[in-house]
Amino acid sequence: DLQRLLVEKSQISPYWINQLSQIQHGNARNLIKNLTYINPVGFVGAKGPAKDDSYQAFYLEQKKKHPECVILMRTGEFYETMGVDALMLIAYSGLNAMGGKAKAGCPIGNIQATLDGLTDHGLSVAVYEEKAPHGEIIDPKKKIKSRSLSQIVFPGASTYMYDLSLRSDNIEFRENYPVIGVIKTISGYT
């Protein structure tokens, strides 16, 4: 099934092709056949390619900005992914496909467990929250909601901090993996 995605004009990056090749989870492996090479996540909705002002178009735009991150987008009381990103949630966070398609998600209450499953497998996640300007209430009837990047969660910093400052209970932080940074300068590597 991966061979179909390895065409010259494929928009799925080699990074994600490699990640797909490592999936052992049966349901996630079976969904690889549903992916297409025409966009960076390999997903086309039931209505065809994404229109410029659609949720899917925004999702694809964010994937281009953060090509090596799973994109996890808040939609009401749920976080959703599609395409390659959804297969990562299914394979590593124990979630099910939505409607037998390459889509997956989790309720708000399971966000940290979902992120832990992904970061435990070395993946980074760009988490997007719905937003309303200047504290206004988000209109649930509005089709296209405004969203913004809340945090990039990665193995070295795997705790999702959004809204934690408002909690009154104790917060348990997992021990993060060590992070090493290397920079090349004129005088050598640091």
Side-chain angles (χ1 to χ4, degrees):
D1 287 327
L2 280 176
Q3 294 304 317
R4 289 181 320 91
L5 304 175
L6 295 172
V7 297
E8 186 177 321
K9 56 186 173 185
S10 180
Q11 291 187 37
I12 299 176
S13 79
Y15 174 82
W16 290 111
I17 298 292
N18 181 49
Q19 292 296 328
L20 290 169
S21 72
Q22 296 176 40
I23 291 177
Q24 301 297 315
H25 189 277
N27 289 339
R29 268 204 96 61
N30 290 337
L31 287 170
I32 292 173
K33 69 180 182 280
N34 294 354
L35 298 177
T36 179
Y37 59 82
I38 68 168
N39 63 47
V41 294
F43 183 83
V44 175
K47 296 178 183 175
K51 293 184 176 46
D52 288 344
D53 63 346
S54 70
Y55 169 83
Q56 186 178 351
F58 180 76
Y59 190 101
L60 294 171
E61 181 182 319
Q62 301 319 302
K63 187 66 166 184
K64 289 175 184 172
K65 289 180 182 177
H66 305 285
E68 293 188 359
C69 287
V70 169
I71 304 297
L72 197 55
M73 196 139 334
R74 174 104 173 248
T75 306
E77 297 298 307
F78 211 66
Y79 289 92
E80 293 182 357
T81 61
M82 59 181 75
V84 171
D85 296 346
L87 272 61
M88 298 301 130
L89 260 71
I90 295 165
Y92 303 127
S93 296
L95 300 173
N96 295 317
M98 295 166 61
K101 297 178 182 164
K103 290 183 79 173
C106 71
I108 290 174
N110 294 355
I111 184 67
Q112 189 61 55
T114 300
L115 293 169
D116 291 346
L118 296 167
T119 57
D120 285 350
H121 284 87
L123 297 171
S124 297
V125 185
V127 185
Y128 287 79
E129 294 288 339
E130 292 179 330
K131 65 177 185 170
H134 308 293
E136 295 172 23
I137 296 172
I138 296 171
D139 182 359
K141 294 176 185 162
K142 185 178 174 188
K143 286 192 178 236
I144 305 298
K145 296 186 175 59
S146 183
R147 291 179 174 82
S148 63
L149 177 64
S150 173
Q151 181 180 341
I152 294 181
V153 180
F154 58 98
S158 60
T159 302
Y160 185 47
M161 302 300 290
Y162 181 77
D163 247 359
L164 286 181
S165 62
L166 302 177
R167 292 177 54 182
S168 60
D169 57 338
N170 273 342
I171 303 164
E172 289 187 36
F173 293 96
R174 290 178 42 186
E175 186 173 323
N176 291 317
Y177 296 102
V179 176
I180 297 174
V182 179
I183 185 170
K184 182 180 178 184
T185 64
I186 295 173
S187 59
Y189 290 94
T190 303

